[in-house]
Amino acid sequence: MKKVLFLSLLCLAIINITLAQSKTKAIDYSTSKKDLTETLEKIYLAYNTRDIKSFLSLMDDDGLFCGTDSRNIWDKAAYSKLMTEMFADTSFSPNISVDKREIHFDTGRNSAMVVDQFFFPGINKYRYVM
């Protein structure tokens, strides 16, 4: 009886380990970085071409949108209003060009943080809208 119980527990342990290993996928970081980069480039293209529909479609409904000033924190509705006004302004000439990009994945492999460094002149008019 002890041998059967021990063998059953051993089989359960092996099955459990096998299932756990089969659920753990290796993440292809180069593909993930490529996908993130492509999405960011779509965002900047839409911004630079004033394509408000495409630009806003790439923003998450639950997003938090931050500017350079501590008062520049918007939800999507407020950010959409601001960007629509900004894109409609003919004196505004968008021209974002990323100088540096850092992409870091979290240790749990569930998310990534992307930091883009760029300068875009002519934005001061819209800095303190909210």
Side-chain angles (χ1 to χ4, degrees):
M1 180 68 176
K2 288 182 183 179
K3 289 181 183 180
V4 173
L5 182 60
F6 177 73
L7 185 58
S8 297
L9 290 175
L10 181 63
C11 288
L12 285 175
I14 292 171
I15 290 170
N16 190 25
I17 291 169
T18 304
L19 287 174
Q21 288 175 348
S22 67
K23 289 181 184 178
T24 305
K25 289 184 181 178
I27 294 179
D28 181 358
Y29 289 105
S30 61
T31 300
S32 297
K33 282 186 176 186
K34 180 179 175 267
D35 291 345
L36 286 168
T37 299
E38 286 175 2
T39 300
L40 289 165
E41 293 307 318
K42 286 179 187 177
I43 291 170
Y44 295 134
L45 177 64
Y47 182 90
N48 286 338
T49 60
R50 297 176 184 208
D51 182 354
I52 192 69
K53 185 178 178 182
S54 294
F55 183 78
L56 293 176
S57 74
L58 294 163
M59 303 294 149
D60 189 82
D61 291 338
D62 294 326
L64 178 65
F65 305 92
C66 305
T68 57
D69 186 80
S70 62
R71 295 175 286 181
N72 297 150
I73 300 175
W74 307 281
D75 62 4
K76 185 173 181 182
Y79 188 67
S80 297
K81 182 178 182 248
L82 171 69
M83 297 308 291
T84 300
E85 291 172 4
M86 192 165 69
F87 284 11
D89 183 350
T90 57
S91 67
F92 172 65
S93 40
N95 186 20
I96 290 179
S97 178
V98 176
D99 298 320
K100 184 177 181 180
R101 173 172 287 146
E102 293 289 334
I103 299 175
H104 294 274
F105 293 92
D106 76 331
T107 55
R109 315 286 195 248
N110 294 318
S111 64
M113 180 177 70
V114 180
V115 178
D116 283 346
Q117 179 179 324
F118 54 84
F119 175 77
F120 47 112
I123 198 74
N124 291 338
K125 179 178 178 180
Y126 298 95
R127 187 172 287 165
Y128 303 107
V129 171
M130 296 299 289

Tab-separated table of all heavy atoms in Angstrom, residues 45-93:
chain	number	residue	atom	x	y	z
A	45	LEU	N	3.879	58.817	-36.364
A	45	LEU	CA	3.474	59.149	-37.740
A	45	LEU	C	2.115	59.846	-37.722
A	45	LEU	O	1.925	60.869	-38.385
A	45	LEU	CB	3.432	57.896	-38.615
A	45	LEU	CG	2.956	58.123	-40.050
A	45	LEU	CD1	3.924	59.038	-40.802
A	45	LEU	CD2	2.807	56.789	-40.771
A	46	ALA	N	1.175	59.296	-36.962
A	46	ALA	CA	-0.151	59.922	-36.863
A	46	ALA	C	-0.036	61.327	-36.273
A	46	ALA	O	-0.703	62.259	-36.734
A	46	ALA	CB	-1.070	59.049	-36.019
A	47	TYR	N	0.805	61.490	-35.276
A	47	TYR	CA	1.015	62.804	-34.669
A	47	TYR	C	1.610	63.776	-35.682
A	47	TYR	O	1.112	64.889	-35.857
A	47	TYR	CB	1.943	62.661	-33.458
A	47	TYR	CG	2.195	63.954	-32.726
A	47	TYR	CD1	1.365	64.346	-31.682
A	47	TYR	CD2	3.258	64.776	-33.064
A	47	TYR	CE1	1.593	65.534	-30.996
A	47	TYR	CE2	3.500	65.954	-32.390
A	47	TYR	CZ	2.665	66.335	-31.362
A	47	TYR	OH	2.890	67.509	-30.698
A	48	ASN	N	2.675	63.362	-36.346
A	48	ASN	CA	3.369	64.252	-37.283
A	48	ASN	C	2.526	64.603	-38.506
A	48	ASN	O	2.747	65.647	-39.121
A	48	ASN	CB	4.700	63.650	-37.710
A	48	ASN	CG	5.750	63.722	-36.625
A	48	ASN	OD1	5.677	64.537	-35.707
A	48	ASN	ND2	6.734	62.848	-36.700
A	49	THR	N	1.575	63.753	-38.852
A	49	THR	CA	0.707	64.019	-40.008
A	49	THR	C	-0.659	64.550	-39.593
A	49	THR	O	-1.546	64.698	-40.428
A	49	THR	CB	0.531	62.749	-40.864
A	49	THR	OG1	-0.058	61.726	-40.072
A	49	THR	CG2	1.844	62.297	-41.458
A	50	ARG	N	-0.821	64.811	-38.288
A	50	ARG	CA	-2.073	65.336	-37.732
A	50	ARG	C	-3.269	64.425	-38.002
A	50	ARG	O	-4.391	64.881	-38.195
A	50	ARG	CB	-2.375	66.725	-38.276
A	50	ARG	CG	-1.379	67.758	-37.933
A	50	ARG	CD	-1.775	69.031	-38.614
A	50	ARG	NE	-0.777	70.044	-38.374
A	50	ARG	CZ	-1.038	71.327	-38.358
A	50	ARG	NH1	-2.255	71.751	-38.581
A	50	ARG	NH2	-0.090	72.189	-38.140
A	51	ASP	N	-3.048	63.150	-38.028
A	51	ASP	CA	-4.115	62.173	-38.248
A	51	ASP	C	-4.745	61.836	-36.893
A	51	ASP	O	-4.386	60.855	-36.249
A	51	ASP	CB	-3.535	60.919	-38.924
A	51	ASP	CG	-4.574	59.873	-39.240
A	51	ASP	OD1	-5.757	60.042	-38.849
A	51	ASP	OD2	-4.202	58.862	-39.865
A	52	ILE	N	-5.683	62.684	-36.479
A	52	ILE	CA	-6.260	62.571	-35.135
A	52	ILE	C	-6.972	61.244	-34.925
A	52	ILE	O	-6.892	60.655	-33.850
A	52	ILE	CB	-7.189	63.767	-34.805
A	52	ILE	CG1	-7.550	63.807	-33.312
A	52	ILE	CG2	-8.434	63.757	-35.662
A	52	ILE	CD1	-6.417	64.139	-32.405
A	53	LYS	N	-7.650	60.743	-35.942
A	53	LYS	CA	-8.382	59.478	-35.813
A	53	LYS	C	-7.417	58.327	-35.513
A	53	LYS	O	-7.629	57.552	-34.581
A	53	LYS	CB	-9.183	59.199	-37.076
A	53	LYS	CG	-10.046	57.977	-36.982
A	53	LYS	CD	-10.868	57.777	-38.244
A	53	LYS	CE	-11.688	56.506	-38.141
A	53	LYS	NZ	-12.462	56.261	-39.351
A	54	SER	N	-6.354	58.221	-36.292
A	54	SER	CA	-5.367	57.161	-36.063
A	54	SER	C	-4.652	57.360	-34.734
A	54	SER	O	-4.424	56.409	-33.988
A	54	SER	CB	-4.336	57.127	-37.187
A	54	SER	OG	-4.941	56.760	-38.390
A	55	PHE	N	-4.303	58.595	-34.445
A	55	PHE	CA	-3.585	58.901	-33.206
A	55	PHE	C	-4.382	58.457	-31.986
A	55	PHE	O	-3.881	57.741	-31.125
A	55	PHE	CB	-3.280	60.405	-33.140
A	55	PHE	CG	-2.488	60.813	-31.942
A	55	PHE	CD1	-1.121	60.590	-31.886
A	55	PHE	CD2	-3.099	61.424	-30.859
A	55	PHE	CE1	-0.377	60.969	-30.772
A	55	PHE	CE2	-2.371	61.810	-29.747
A	55	PHE	CZ	-1.010	61.579	-29.705
A	56	LEU	N	-5.646	58.858	-31.927
A	56	LEU	CA	-6.465	58.524	-30.764
A	56	LEU	C	-6.826	57.043	-30.714
A	56	LEU	O	-7.006	56.492	-29.633
A	56	LEU	CB	-7.721	59.391	-30.739
A	56	LEU	CG	-7.461	60.886	-30.498
A	56	LEU	CD1	-8.759	61.673	-30.584
A	56	LEU	CD2	-6.762	61.123	-29.174
A	57	SER	N	-6.884	56.389	-31.872
A	57	SER	CA	-7.197	54.952	-31.871
A	57	SER	C	-6.068	54.133	-31.243
A	57	SER	O	-6.293	53.018	-30.788
A	57	SER	CB	-7.468	54.453	-33.298
A	57	SER	OG	-6.264	54.359	-34.042
A	58	LEU	N	-4.870	54.682	-31.208
A	58	LEU	CA	-3.726	53.990	-30.613
A	58	LEU	C	-3.576	54.270	-29.119
A	58	LEU	O	-2.676	53.744	-28.476
A	58	LEU	CB	-2.447	54.381	-31.360
A	58	LEU	CG	-2.400	53.900	-32.811
A	58	LEU	CD1	-1.336	54.659	-33.606
A	58	LEU	CD2	-2.165	52.400	-32.871
A	59	MET	N	-4.464	55.096	-28.572
A	59	MET	CA	-4.432	55.423	-27.146
A	59	MET	C	-5.445	54.559	-26.411
A	59	MET	O	-6.571	54.397	-26.861
A	59	MET	CB	-4.769	56.901	-26.920
A	59	MET	CG	-3.883	57.869	-27.647
A	59	MET	SD	-2.210	57.814	-27.034
A	59	MET	CE	-1.310	58.224	-28.502
A	60	ASP	N	-5.059	54.050	-25.268
A	60	ASP	CA	-5.941	53.200	-24.465
A	60	ASP	C	-7.022	54.032	-23.791
A	60	ASP	O	-6.760	55.136	-23.321
A	60	ASP	CB	-5.110	52.454	-23.418
A	60	ASP	CG	-5.921	51.404	-22.707
A	60	ASP	OD1	-6.086	50.304	-23.248
A	60	ASP	OD2	-6.395	51.708	-21.592
A	61	ASP	N	-8.245	53.511	-23.744
A	61	ASP	CA	-9.351	54.228	-23.105
A	61	ASP	C	-9.098	54.472	-21.621
A	61	ASP	O	-9.604	55.430	-21.056
A	61	ASP	CB	-10.662	53.459	-23.279
A	61	ASP	CG	-11.132	53.475	-24.727
A	61	ASP	OD1	-10.718	54.381	-25.488
A	61	ASP	OD2	-11.916	52.578	-25.102
A	62	ASP	N	-8.327	53.605	-20.988
A	62	ASP	CA	-8.018	53.756	-19.566
A	62	ASP	C	-6.665	54.427	-19.342
A	62	ASP	O	-6.154	54.419	-18.220
A	62	ASP	CB	-8.008	52.387	-18.870
A	62	ASP	CG	-9.373	51.749	-18.858
A	62	ASP	OD1	-10.374	52.495	-18.763
A	62	ASP	OD2	-9.459	50.517	-18.964
A	63	GLY	N	-6.093	54.999	-20.397
A	63	GLY	CA	-4.758	55.585	-20.302
A	63	GLY	C	-4.709	56.826	-19.434
A	63	GLY	O	-5.706	57.516	-19.216
A	64	LEU	N	-3.537	57.091	-18.939
A	64	LEU	CA	-3.229	58.305	-18.200
A	64	LEU	C	-2.191	59.042	-19.042
A	64	LEU	O	-1.121	58.501	-19.322
A	64	LEU	CB	-2.662	57.972	-16.819
A	64	LEU	CG	-2.249	59.146	-15.945
A	64	LEU	CD1	-3.477	59.991	-15.576
A	64	LEU	CD2	-1.566	58.647	-14.692
A	65	PHE	N	-2.494	60.236	-19.460
A	65	PHE	CA	-1.649	60.966	-20.391
A	65	PHE	C	-1.027	62.157	-19.666
A	65	PHE	O	-1.731	62.977	-19.090
A	65	PHE	CB	-2.481	61.408	-21.598
A	65	PHE	CG	-3.168	60.243	-22.252
A	65	PHE	CD1	-4.452	59.866	-21.886
A	65	PHE	CD2	-2.502	59.474	-23.181
A	65	PHE	CE1	-5.067	58.775	-22.454
A	65	PHE	CE2	-3.108	58.368	-23.763
A	65	PHE	CZ	-4.395	58.017	-23.395
A	66	CYS	N	0.298	62.216	-19.706
A	66	CYS	CA	1.036	63.209	-18.929
A	66	CYS	C	1.864	64.102	-19.841
A	66	CYS	O	2.434	63.639	-20.821
A	66	CYS	CB	1.968	62.507	-17.937
A	66	CYS	SG	1.124	61.354	-16.864
A	67	GLY	N	1.933	65.367	-19.467
A	67	GLY	CA	2.767	66.321	-20.179
A	67	GLY	C	4.018	66.628	-19.390
A	67	GLY	O	4.411	65.880	-18.493
A	68	THR	N	4.629	67.747	-19.702
A	68	THR	CA	5.901	68.109	-19.075
A	68	THR	C	5.731	68.857	-17.768
A	68	THR	O	6.671	69.001	-17.007
A	68	THR	CB	6.742	68.971	-20.039
A	68	THR	OG1	5.969	70.130	-20.392
A	68	THR	CG2	7.114	68.195	-21.280
A	69	ASP	N	4.556	69.370	-17.494
A	69	ASP	CA	4.282	70.127	-16.282
A	69	ASP	C	3.495	69.261	-15.307
A	69	ASP	O	2.737	68.384	-15.730
A	69	ASP	CB	3.479	71.381	-16.661
A	69	ASP	CG	3.272	72.307	-15.484
A	69	ASP	OD1	4.179	73.072	-15.138
A	69	ASP	OD2	2.169	72.231	-14.898
A	70	SER	N	3.631	69.505	-14.023
A	70	SER	CA	2.934	68.691	-13.022
A	70	SER	C	1.412	68.779	-13.150
A	70	SER	O	0.696	67.894	-12.707
A	70	SER	CB	3.355	69.096	-11.614
A	70	SER	OG	3.001	70.444	-11.377
A	71	ARG	N	0.903	69.830	-13.770
A	71	ARG	CA	-0.548	69.977	-13.968
A	71	ARG	C	-1.023	69.267	-15.225
A	71	ARG	O	-2.212	69.245	-15.504
A	71	ARG	CB	-0.914	71.453	-14.039
A	71	ARG	CG	-0.659	72.170	-12.719
A	71	ARG	CD	-0.903	73.633	-12.859
A	71	ARG	NE	0.219	74.198	-13.632
A	71	ARG	CZ	0.364	75.469	-13.934
A	71	ARG	NH1	-0.546	76.326	-13.563
A	71	ARG	NH2	1.407	75.886	-14.603
A	72	ASN	N	-0.124	68.729	-16.012
A	72	ASN	CA	-0.474	68.085	-17.275
A	72	ASN	C	-0.724	66.594	-17.094
A	72	ASN	O	0.095	65.753	-17.456
A	72	ASN	CB	0.639	68.268	-18.304
A	72	ASN	CG	0.882	69.705	-18.686
A	72	ASN	OD1	1.983	70.067	-19.021
A	72	ASN	ND2	-0.133	70.526	-18.648
A	73	ILE	N	-1.886	66.281	-16.546
A	73	ILE	CA	-2.299	64.891	-16.394
A	73	ILE	C	-3.752	64.806	-16.856
A	73	ILE	O	-4.622	65.485	-16.306
A	73	ILE	CB	-2.169	64.401	-14.938
A	73	ILE	CG1	-0.713	64.517	-14.488
A	73	ILE	CG2	-2.664	62.966	-14.809
A	73	ILE	CD1	-0.483	64.187	-13.028
A	74	TRP	N	-4.009	64.000	-17.883
A	74	TRP	CA	-5.328	63.932	-18.477
A	74	TRP	C	-5.810	62.490	-18.607
A	74	TRP	O	-5.014	61.573	-18.774
A	74	TRP	CB	-5.301	64.534	-19.890
A	74	TRP	CG	-4.734	65.908	-19.970
A	74	TRP	CD1	-5.361	67.074	-19.650
A	74	TRP	CD2	-3.423	66.278	-20.428
A	74	TRP	NE1	-4.526	68.144	-19.868
A	74	TRP	CE2	-3.320	67.683	-20.349
A	74	TRP	CE3	-2.332	65.561	-20.890
A	74	TRP	CZ2	-2.181	68.377	-20.720
A	74	TRP	CZ3	-1.194	66.257	-21.250
A	74	TRP	CH2	-1.126	67.648	-21.169
A	75	ASP	N	-7.132	62.316	-18.595
A	75	ASP	CA	-7.714	61.042	-18.997
A	75	ASP	C	-7.874	61.106	-20.520
A	75	ASP	O	-7.552	62.133	-21.143
A	75	ASP	CB	-9.040	60.777	-18.279
A	75	ASP	CG	-10.120	61.812	-18.604
A	75	ASP	OD1	-9.901	62.721	-19.449
A	75	ASP	OD2	-11.198	61.719	-17.997
A	76	LYS	N	-8.384	60.049	-21.138
A	76	LYS	CA	-8.440	60.029	-22.601
A	76	LYS	C	-9.376	61.098	-23.156
A	76	LYS	O	-9.067	61.722	-24.167
A	76	LYS	CB	-8.831	58.659	-23.136
A	76	LYS	CG	-8.751	58.629	-24.661
A	76	LYS	CD	-8.946	57.280	-25.263
A	76	LYS	CE	-8.814	57.360	-26.785
A	76	LYS	NZ	-9.036	56.082	-27.411
A	77	ALA	N	-10.498	61.334	-22.502
A	77	ALA	CA	-11.450	62.335	-23.004
A	77	ALA	C	-10.816	63.734	-23.040
A	77	ALA	O	-10.908	64.439	-24.048
A	77	ALA	CB	-12.711	62.333	-22.148
A	78	ALA	N	-10.168	64.119	-21.963
A	78	ALA	CA	-9.530	65.439	-21.902
A	78	ALA	C	-8.350	65.519	-22.870
A	78	ALA	O	-8.151	66.537	-23.545
A	78	ALA	CB	-9.073	65.741	-20.480
A	79	TYR	N	-7.577	64.441	-22.949
A	79	TYR	CA	-6.429	64.407	-23.861
A	79	TYR	C	-6.893	64.469	-25.316
A	79	TYR	O	-6.293	65.165	-26.135
A	79	TYR	CB	-5.603	63.151	-23.602
A	79	TYR	CG	-4.292	63.105	-24.342
A	79	TYR	CD1	-3.264	63.988	-24.036
A	79	TYR	CD2	-4.069	62.160	-25.345
A	79	TYR	CE1	-2.054	63.944	-24.711
A	79	TYR	CE2	-2.863	62.107	-26.019
A	79	TYR	CZ	-1.858	63.002	-25.702
A	79	TYR	OH	-0.663	62.957	-26.370
A	80	SER	N	-7.971	63.778	-25.627
A	80	SER	CA	-8.525	63.795	-26.985
A	80	SER	C	-8.949	65.202	-27.377
A	80	SER	O	-8.687	65.652	-28.500
A	80	SER	CB	-9.729	62.853	-27.091
A	80	SER	OG	-9.352	61.533	-26.851
A	81	LYS	N	-9.592	65.899	-26.438
A	81	LYS	CA	-10.013	67.281	-26.700
A	81	LYS	C	-8.798	68.174	-26.959
A	81	LYS	O	-8.772	68.945	-27.914
A	81	LYS	CB	-10.820	67.800	-25.511
A	81	LYS	CG	-11.337	69.197	-25.691
A	81	LYS	CD	-12.167	69.633	-24.488
A	81	LYS	CE	-12.718	71.012	-24.716
A	81	LYS	NZ	-12.170	72.016	-23.866
A	82	LEU	N	-7.803	68.059	-26.112
A	82	LEU	CA	-6.581	68.848	-26.256
A	82	LEU	C	-5.899	68.576	-27.602
A	82	LEU	O	-5.538	69.498	-28.328
A	82	LEU	CB	-5.615	68.537	-25.114
A	82	LEU	CG	-4.205	69.127	-25.225
A	82	LEU	CD1	-4.243	70.635	-25.068
A	82	LEU	CD2	-3.296	68.495	-24.202
A	83	MET	N	-5.742	67.298	-27.935
A	83	MET	CA	-5.046	66.941	-29.177
A	83	MET	C	-5.843	67.349	-30.410
A	83	MET	O	-5.279	67.781	-31.419
A	83	MET	CB	-4.732	65.448	-29.202
A	83	MET	CG	-3.778	65.009	-28.092
A	83	MET	SD	-2.248	65.983	-28.001
A	83	MET	CE	-1.461	65.467	-29.506
A	84	THR	N	-7.167	67.244	-30.356
A	84	THR	CA	-8.009	67.658	-31.478
A	84	THR	C	-7.846	69.154	-31.729
A	84	THR	O	-7.708	69.591	-32.884
A	84	THR	CB	-9.481	67.301	-31.203
A	84	THR	OG1	-9.583	65.881	-31.032
A	84	THR	CG2	-10.381	67.726	-32.347
A	85	GLU	N	-7.846	69.945	-30.654
A	85	GLU	CA	-7.629	71.388	-30.787
A	85	GLU	C	-6.236	71.686	-31.330
A	85	GLU	O	-6.060	72.549	-32.193
A	85	GLU	CB	-7.804	72.075	-29.435
A	85	GLU	CG	-9.218	72.093	-28.928
A	85	GLU	CD	-9.329	72.608	-27.495
A	85	GLU	OE1	-8.298	73.036	-26.908
A	85	GLU	OE2	-10.447	72.561	-26.958
A	86	MET	N	-5.260	70.984	-30.831
A	86	MET	CA	-3.881	71.218	-31.247
A	86	MET	C	-3.689	70.867	-32.725
A	86	MET	O	-3.078	71.620	-33.480
A	86	MET	CB	-2.928	70.405	-30.379
A	86	MET	CG	-1.479	70.797	-30.540
A	86	MET	SD	-0.428	70.150	-29.222
A	86	MET	CE	-0.452	68.420	-29.558
A	87	PHE	N	-4.216	69.719	-33.161
A	87	PHE	CA	-4.071	69.313	-34.561
A	87	PHE	C	-4.827	70.243	-35.511
A	87	PHE	O	-4.446	70.399	-36.661
A	87	PHE	CB	-4.559	67.882	-34.758
A	87	PHE	CG	-3.602	66.820	-34.262
A	87	PHE	CD1	-2.498	67.118	-33.490
A	87	PHE	CD2	-3.827	65.489	-34.573
A	87	PHE	CE1	-1.629	66.141	-33.040
A	87	PHE	CE2	-2.962	64.492	-34.127
A	87	PHE	CZ	-1.863	64.825	-33.357
A	88	ALA	N	-5.906	70.867	-35.033
A	88	ALA	CA	-6.687	71.784	-35.871
A	88	ALA	C	-6.010	73.137	-36.040
A	88	ALA	O	-6.311	73.877	-36.976
A	88	ALA	CB	-8.078	71.964	-35.275
A	89	ASP	N	-5.082	73.462	-35.169
A	89	ASP	CA	-4.378	74.741	-35.214
A	89	ASP	C	-3.365	74.722	-36.363
A	89	ASP	O	-2.395	73.972	-36.341
A	89	ASP	CB	-3.676	74.974	-33.876
A	89	ASP	CG	-2.971	76.317	-33.797
A	89	ASP	OD1	-2.850	77.016	-34.829
A	89	ASP	OD2	-2.534	76.664	-32.692
A	90	THR	N	-3.579	75.568	-37.359
A	90	THR	CA	-2.698	75.582	-38.529
A	90	THR	C	-1.305	76.132	-38.223
A	90	THR	O	-0.363	75.887	-38.978
A	90	THR	CB	-3.325	76.411	-39.675
A	90	THR	OG1	-3.596	77.730	-39.196
A	90	THR	CG2	-4.601	75.760	-40.169
A	91	SER	N	-1.145	76.856	-37.101
A	91	SER	CA	0.182	77.368	-36.756
A	91	SER	C	1.043	76.292	-36.075
A	91	SER	O	2.247	76.466	-35.933
A	91	SER	CB	0.073	78.594	-35.845
A	91	SER	OG	-0.446	78.225	-34.583
A	92	PHE	N	0.421	75.208	-35.664
A	92	PHE	CA	1.142	74.115	-35.025
A	92	PHE	C	1.742	73.216	-36.094
A	92	PHE	O	1.055	72.748	-36.989
A	92	PHE	CB	0.191	73.311	-34.128
A	92	PHE	CG	0.791	72.059	-33.575
A	92	PHE	CD1	1.854	72.113	-32.688
A	92	PHE	CD2	0.295	70.823	-33.941
A	92	PHE	CE1	2.409	70.954	-32.167
A	92	PHE	CE2	0.838	69.656	-33.432
A	92	PHE	CZ	1.894	69.721	-32.551
A	93	SER	N	3.053	73.031	-36.030
A	93	SER	CA	3.710	72.152	-37.006
A	93	SER	C	4.403	71.002	-36.277
A	93	SER	O	5.515	71.158	-35.774
A	93	SER	CB	4.693	72.921	-37.877
A	93	SER	OG	5.410	73.849	-37.131
